[in-house]
Amino acid sequence: MMRTRPLKVALLGCGVVGSEVARIMTTHAADLAARIGAPVELAGVAVRRPDKVREGIDPALVTTDATALVKRGDLDIVVEVIGGIEPARTLITTAFEHGASVVSANKALLAQDGAALHAAAEEHGRDLYYEAAVAGAIPLIRPLRESLAGDKVNRVLGIVNGTTNFILDKMDSTGAGYQEALDEATALGYAEADPTADVEGFDAAAKAAILAGIAFHTRVRLDDVHREGMTEVTSADFASAKEMGCTIKLLAICERAGDGASVTARVHPAMIPLSHPLASVRGAYNAVFVESDAAGQLMFYGPGAGGAPTASAVLGDLVAVGRHRVSGTTGPGESAYAALPVSSMDEVVTRYHISLDVADKPGVLAQVATVFAEHGVSIDTVRQQGKDGEASLVVVTHRASDAALGGTVEALRKLDTVRGVASIMRVEGE
């Protein structure tokens, strides 16, 4: 039976995503009501620029006083799509204190203060849902939190930033350099005027922290995530990758240690074999590969950003939270019972592709191989090319720890026959 009293929803932010949320709430009102079991009413919209024309939104609902809006006391759900740490954090906790559940797309805040926000939601008996915070429209958080709740997730490996994937895909497919590919991404609207958050891996690192926390039932904060950007990736790196039957992606990788006693979370460029499903993810799309004990290998793929895709995830959460409000229940909160330690990057074991500039003379390869052996790093393959007294030496290792590889590279730099380390890149997905 349909409840006649509507669920009152406040919207914090009405930009690209917020305006799409408002539009879908209006155009799909009847369907949303049928799915939730009660009508949904847009009760207020907090913005910074009240004079801007917002099609389909009653100007009487628009306010610049977000604090007063969330303190009204008659709201059922607050949708937060303003981003950033403050005032979003205070507004969300205030919404809980005044009786509202919260749907958020704020990856940075959740990665930094997710535990405190979950605690506030639990204290006040309210929901905190955030499917839109990771990978846009792709259903990912709810499958990890609910569908795989009875399974043991061992690894989450994914492309979670569309801007960087577009740039790397363009470099791979056309041979463009980094700056040229970035300029095209900016012109097409895939990259912001200041792309730092994307290309330096901050955006992906926040998402990795959220995914790792849910997958491993452990609190993982942004500071726990090892982060490397992709601004140093070159056309030469792609040429080397192709010779190995690989491509290059900026990956978010969350995994349990082999003994299951700890976890790691990291973001960095990596070579992956062309046979891996993630290698075929093109343009600005996202994809996440999940490996678990019982379900095996699962892949989630789709648009990871944009107004309509992100709004789709927000509305999915709105329906779920709305149903809970109608039935007087709440959904699952934070699950951090495992409390596993988060290991440093030094302990991560993977393969490496190292390109060295060396003198083109006898004995160089033997010297380099000796250094690898002394540091316990086993070599898989070596390729050497030389001309006019200079040469390049490409070494691909077997699996080794980051600490061991770091010691190896430091020792290599001290050899008088090694002119420089041109590039170091991890090899994943095997």
Side-chain angles (χ1 to χ4, degrees):
M1 182 176 177
M2 176 77 70
R3 193 181 85 172
T4 57
R5 183 174 68 82
L7 291 172
K8 292 190 175 184
V9 178
L11 184 60
L12 306 182
C14 198
V16 173
V17 176
S19 60
E20 277 296 308
V21 171
R23 182 188 67 79
I24 295 172
M25 284 181 62
T26 301
T27 58
H28 295 178
D31 286 333
L32 290 173
R35 293 165 190 172
I36 292 172
V40 178
E41 173 189 326
L42 185 60
V45 181
V47 299
R48 286 184 297 179
R49 293 181 292 169
D51 297 332
K52 181 181 178 180
V53 176
R54 294 172 173 85
E55 186 177 349
I57 296 177
D58 183 352
L61 297 177
V62 177
T63 178
T64 57
D65 194 343
T67 301
L69 178 59
V70 298
K71 284 184 174 180
R72 278 178 35 167
D74 64 339
L75 299 175
D76 292 288
I77 303 170
V78 169
V79 176
E80 183 272 310
V81 288
I82 56 178
I85 306 302
E86 288 291 0
R89 174 171 48 200
T90 299
L91 291 171
I92 289 173
T93 55
T94 303
F96 290 141
E97 292 166 2
H98 288 78
S101 290
V102 173
V103 172
S104 176
N106 195 330
K107 54 188 171 288
L109 178 58
L110 288 158
Q112 179 171 306
D113 288 318
L117 294 178
H118 274 292
E122 183 176 0
E123 178 185 354
H124 297 284
R126 295 296 178 251
D127 278 323
L128 173 62
Y129 272 49
Y130 43 90
E131 185 68 62
V134 180
I138 305 172
L140 184 58
I141 289 177
R142 194 171 288 115
L144 284 172
R145 189 162 66 172
E146 299 177 26
S147 303
L148 295 173
D151 205 345
K152 179 184 177 184
V153 176
N154 296 309
R155 197 174 198 226
V156 180
L157 171 75
I159 299 164
V160 294
N161 183 279
T163 299
T164 55
N165 199 59
F166 178 89
I167 293 170
L168 292 173
D169 181 41
K170 185 62 62 173
M171 292 175 70
D172 185 28
S173 60
T174 69
Y178 167 76
Q179 189 60 50
E180 182 183 352
L182 172 60
D183 290 344
E184 182 171 350
T186 304
L188 293 173
Y190 291 127
E192 301 286 346
D194 179 1
T196 302
D198 294 321
V199 300
E200 293 294 352
F202 290 101
D203 175 84
K207 295 170 182 176
I210 295 170
L211 292 175
I214 297 170
F216 307 134
H217 305 277
T218 292
R219 287 177 178 169
V220 180
R221 299 181 74 252
L222 181 60
D223 291 345
D224 296 321
V225 181
H226 174 83
R227 176 194 55 81
E228 298 173 27
M230 39 81 69
T231 57
E232 300 301 318
V233 177
T234 66
S235 299
D237 292 326
F238 274 101
S240 294
K242 287 181 179 179
E243 290 179 358
M244 291 178 58
C246 293
T247 188
I248 299 171
K249 300 290 186 182
L250 184 75
L251 299 178
I253 305 169
C254 315
E255 57 190 352
R256 294 180 188 268
D259 59 5
S262 64
V263 298
T264 58
R266 50 198 166 102
V267 168
H268 53 71
M271 295 182 179
I272 59 172
L274 295 175
S275 58
H276 194 281
L278 291 178
S280 61
V281 178
R282 310 301 297 271
Y285 275 72
N286 285 191
V288 177
F289 205 69
V290 177
E291 301 174 11
S292 68
D293 276 1
Q297 297 180 330
L298 306 170
M299 183 165 159
F300 301 83
Y301 170 84
T310 305
S312 172
V314 170
L315 268 294
D317 280 350
L318 182 68
V319 169
V321 173
R323 287 169 176 168
H324 298 157
R325 297 289 285 193
V326 170
S327 64
T329 62
T330 56
E334 182 188 33
S335 175
Y337 74 91
L340 296 170
V342 182
S343 298
S344 72
M345 190 64 188
D346 283 347
E347 300 174 63
V348 171
V349 175
T350 188
R351 297 178 67 206
Y352 291 88
H353 176 283
I354 304 104
S355 180
L356 304 172
D357 294 326
V358 299
D360 186 17
K361 62 182 184 180
V364 173
L365 180 56
Q367 282 186 319
V368 169
T370 297
V371 170
F372 275 88
E374 289 174 347
H375 288 80
V377 179
S378 176
I379 294 175
D380 183 17
T381 62
V382 179
R383 185 176 72 255
Q384 184 174 6
Q385 293 177 325
K387 184 179 180 181
D388 298 329
E390 298 295 329
S392 63
L393 193 65
V394 176
V395 179
V396 179
T397 74
H398 287 291
R399 292 175 65 83
S401 72
D402 198 70
L405 196 282
T408 303
V409 172
E410 185 177 347
L412 287 171
R413 294 184 193 276
K414 296 178 181 178
L415 294 178
D416 59 5
T417 53
V418 174
R419 308 292 192 234
V421 180
S423 69
I424 304 171
M425 192 167 296
R426 296 172 183 88
V427 182
E428 300 284 349
E430 294 183 316

